[in-house]
Amino acid sequence: MRTDPLKFLSDELDSLKQQGLYRHLRILDGEQASHATFDRKSVVNLSSNNYLGLTTHPRLREASLQAVRDYGAGSGSDRTIAGTMAIHMELEKRLAAFKNVEAVVVFQSGFAANAGTVSAILSKEDVVVSDELNHASIIDGCRLSRAAIKVFPHKDVDAARAIMRELPATQRKLLITDGVFSMDGDLGALPGLCDVAEEFGAIMMVDDAHASGVFGRQGRGTIDHFNCHGRVDIQVGTLSKAIGVLGGYVAGSKAFIEFLYHRARPFLFSTSHPPAVAAACIAALDVLEQEPQWMERLWDNTKFFKAGLQRLGFNTGRSESPITPIIVGEAPKAMEMSDALFRAGVFAQGIGFPTVPRGQARLRTIVTATHSREDLQYALDALGKVGKELGVI
Ligand SMILES: Cc1ncc(COP(=O)(O)O)c(C=O)c1O
């Protein structure tokens, strides 16, 4: 009889279960909304990246439907063969104007944008200097590029400078940080890192996935928030979070974007977005520009919820954004707390190693513009009760 060559994977899964790191996929019925039905239970949803509530905004829905009527369901090809539709180009033009850069290229996801860009522009002679908490898609891009990877402690500008000082002056260098760190909600050390990049002639790159639609004027991101215009060579953003749809974009000079057309592998070798995705993203940009109330509500809710968590005595780390971690310690405790909260009608996903370091397991919460005060107060009451029962506060 043939033995199962994949048996080692079941052993791995058993080990995850023993460590409390096994994750059950919660199934969403209906819309991704601030109050939603997961696993057939109605809960206050603190787990989506739908910052502004745009996944269900009427203008995005209508734009998607109209694009399906006008252009069909799919694009039918890669961008470089027959899959560049006028609506893709229109979205890129709008994004370039929004980000105040010469050009933008859209990828299928933020993950593809990061991994595809870093791996396209670097090779094994080059070096990446990267914040230790940068996103997995940046790390994968670095690995694919085969460049040397030098990691500096989180937000430590002096450490980044010290690494740069040791590198040969002629070596090509990429200095890279997240704009907002996705598990801690703090901001990258942008102005200081821009200084370092300028000092050593490095390419400066910022992954603004969690900042687009959240920070800066009308949600233009951390480059705008820190007034670092003209100092960041490569900006990555996502269309999958605050924008409410799907995709990632890379913003920069015209020559750089044209280079990506020729060398970024997800652009060359994977089908482009359905037209409805591009249309909904364009509608989302209209909303960002014309409906400031969503960002205002997002920040009002963020302040209210954070203050409530702190009053209850939770450890919310160093968050400066709507991403507010509740740091619990060991993964089984975080998963137990997440499950107890879910039973109480609040969905806050437990996160453990390898997404965050061991001993820093947490519940990751994100409020949105569309949460009502009643929803948030209900969540705070449940968190207080469950947190006390489990000895977290
Ligand atoms: C910092 C960061 N960059 C990039 C991504 C990838 O974005 P997307 O979900 O559009 O693939 C994420 C998503 O988790 C992220 O948190």
Side-chain angles (χ1 to χ4, degrees), residues 5-331:
L6 292 179
K7 162 89 176 55
F8 70 103
L9 299 179
S10 314
D11 298 342
E12 282 275 322
L13 287 174
D14 288 342
S15 153
L16 289 181
K17 282 179 190 157
Q18 276 159 19
Q19 298 170 66
L21 293 170
Y22 182 82
R23 274 160 89 153
H24 155 78
L25 300 181
R26 295 214 183 272
I27 311 296
L28 171 63
D29 271 324
E31 297 178 347
Q32 181 64 266
S34 54
H35 213 120
T37 304
F38 284 90
D39 291 349
R40 301 187 185 282
K41 188 168 170 61
S42 171
V43 288
V44 177
N45 178 8
L46 298 178
S47 290
S48 84
N49 297 311
N50 184 23
Y51 292 97
L52 302 174
L54 298 192
T55 56
T56 52
H57 192 290
R59 290 172 78 173
L60 277 74
R61 282 190 209 260
E62 192 44 45
S64 319
L65 290 168
Q66 194 56 45
V68 172
R69 287 186 205 105
D70 290 345
Y71 311 119
S75 77
S77 175
D78 303 350
R79 289 288 301 271
T80 46
I81 302 182
T84 293
M85 303 174 94
I87 199 158
H88 294 135
M89 299 308 288
E90 186 187 336
L91 172 60
E92 290 171 347
K93 227 170 123 189
R94 284 290 303 275
L95 283 167
F98 187 67
K99 297 298 270 191
N100 194 25
V101 294
E102 279 178 16
V104 159
V105 58
V106 170
F107 286 77
Q108 298 83 352
S109 68
F111 198 107
N114 271 329
T117 299
V118 176
S119 58
I121 60 169
L122 297 184
S123 60
K124 63 180 187 320
E125 291 74 34
D126 306 326
V127 59
V128 187
V129 180
S130 174
D131 187 291
E132 67 177 332
L133 295 188
N134 278 345
H135 191 254
S137 52
I138 293 175
I139 298 168
D140 283 10
C142 296
R143 289 180 181 154
L144 280 168
S145 75
R146 293 182 295 148
I149 304 169
K150 308 269 181 194
V151 173
F152 60 88
H154 185 47
K155 294 180 69 162
D156 190 337
V157 173
D158 290 337
R161 183 177 281 111
I163 292 172
M164 288 282 185
R165 218 174 264 132
E166 296 299 309
L167 298 171
T170 52
Q171 190 173 25
R172 184 170 298 131
K173 306 168 187 76
L174 174 69
L175 181 53
I176 183 162
T177 182
D178 280 2
V180 176
F181 288 86
S182 58
M183 293 298 139
D184 292 273
D186 55 342
L187 300 186
L190 249 70
L193 291 176
C194 287
D195 291 344
V196 173
E198 282 159 16
E199 212 175 312
F200 294 91
I203 304 162
M204 181 71 207
M205 174 164 169
V206 175
D207 170 12
D208 242 357
H210 285 278
S212 318
V214 178
F215 283 92
R217 286 166 306 140
Q218 297 169 314
R220 286 176 164 78
T222 55
I223 286 95
D224 193 72
H225 173 79
F226 285 115
N227 197 13
C228 286
H229 290 287
R231 306 185 71 195
V232 176
D233 305 290
I234 304 177
Q235 300 182 44
V236 170
T238 173
L239 302 164
S240 331
K241 302 186 194 301
I243 302 298
V245 194
L246 171 71
Y249 59 89
V250 184
S253 70
K254 193 161 178 299
F256 162 58
I257 300 304
E258 279 188 358
F259 176 84
L260 292 180
Y261 284 178
H262 293 83
R263 285 289 178 275
R265 292 166 73 83
F267 186 83
L268 290 159
F269 298 117
S270 185
T271 298
S272 56
H273 278 157
V277 169
C281 291
I282 292 168
L285 290 174
D286 292 338
V287 171
L288 284 184
E289 286 170 3
Q290 295 160 18
E291 300 181 18
Q293 66 268 31
W294 304 114
M295 264 184 80
E296 284 159 18
R297 281 186 209 167
L298 172 67
W299 280 102
D300 278 353
N301 279 347
T302 298
K303 282 177 200 139
F304 175 80
F305 190 67
K306 258 190 217 303
L309 288 176
Q310 281 153 10
R311 254 197 316 276
L312 286 166
F314 284 111
N315 174 4
T316 56
R318 50 187 173 234
S319 166
E320 302 168 75
S321 73
I323 301 173
T324 310
I326 298 172
I327 300 170
V328 167
E330 296 310 321

